[in-house]
Amino acid sequence: DDLKGMKVRGPTRQITKMLGYVGATPVGMPLPQIPDALSKGTIDGCVIPWEVVPSVKVHELTKFHSEFENSGGALYTTTFVMSMNKAKYNSLAPDLKKIIDNNSGMATSAWLGKTQQGNDPAGRKAAEDRKNQIYRITAADAQEFKRKARLVEVEWVQDMDKRGHDGKKLLETARALIEKHGKTAPAR
């Protein structure tokens, strides 16, 4: 109910939809537009990782922040995808293919995730240094928030099914991978 009527920018289509299901007025916009939108009142808030806070000056443009307690899980999971056109890859010299191959896969994915998560403390500290209030959403409240937002998952599964994929299986696989490889961290 705290988000009712607030204009909030979400980082993805699904999170933006979810914000609507929990009472906010969802606003889609690119990350670089956040500072202007906050300063002009186009949005009242945004969902971003702590690591991004200093680069878009959210700690200077707001006084209040929220995060889930570690035991409550995270609001969402970020996925990094680096891809290359197969024909372009095949046209590369073997030594260049080897460089790409040596910097791909699970190890690179883990490194990217650790790098992003490793920058979160500096972003949080920027808000703390300005004496901004950081509210910790309890595990119980986080579960209620997630319960209200389940409709996003239902819609996503239906969309995948319409596209000829097994949406339920894809969702279960994603959950299993997050459980296996994810590290619970506070959502921002």
Side-chain angles (χ1 to χ4, degrees), residues 27-164:
V27 178
M29 73 175 49
L31 181 77
Q33 291 179 3
I34 290 174
D36 189 53
L38 281 170
S39 66
K40 291 180 178 175
T42 306
I43 59 173
D44 300 309
C46 56
V47 176
I48 58 173
W50 279 117
E51 73 137 355
V52 177
V53 166
S55 64
V56 290
K57 301 185 185 309
V58 167
H59 63 300
E60 296 174 16
L61 297 166
T62 63
K63 295 180 186 205
F64 304 96
H65 308 268
S66 296
E67 65 184 8
F68 287 168
E69 290 179 351
N70 284 339
S71 59
L75 177 60
Y76 64 98
T77 299
T78 301
T79 304
F80 294 100
V81 177
M82 294 191 307
S83 60
M84 183 176 197
N85 177 287
K86 188 173 183 175
K88 184 65 178 172
Y89 174 82
N90 288 335
S91 74
L92 295 174
D95 62 325
L96 296 177
K97 285 182 185 177
K98 184 168 176 44
I99 290 169
I100 290 172
D101 293 346
N102 288 344
N103 292 284
S104 301
M106 289 301 292
T108 300
S109 178
W111 173 75
L112 287 169
K114 286 178 184 172
T115 299
Q116 180 181 11
Q117 198 165 38
N119 290 321
D120 280 346
R124 191 178 195 283
K125 185 174 182 326
E128 291 171 342
D129 288 350
R130 290 188 63 87
K131 308 280 189 251
N132 292 357
Q133 183 178 344
I134 299 172
Y135 176 73
R136 305 232 42 221
I137 299 168
T138 66
D141 286 342
Q143 291 311 309
E144 179 63 15
F145 187 93
K146 291 175 184 180
R147 187 191 64 73
K148 288 180 179 179
R150 289 273 181 218
L151 189 51
V152 173
E153 290 179 356
V154 171
E155 289 176 355
W156 185 86
V157 167
Q158 290 171 347
D159 184 45
M160 291 298 106
D161 289 346
K162 286 179 190 171
R163 295 175 187 225

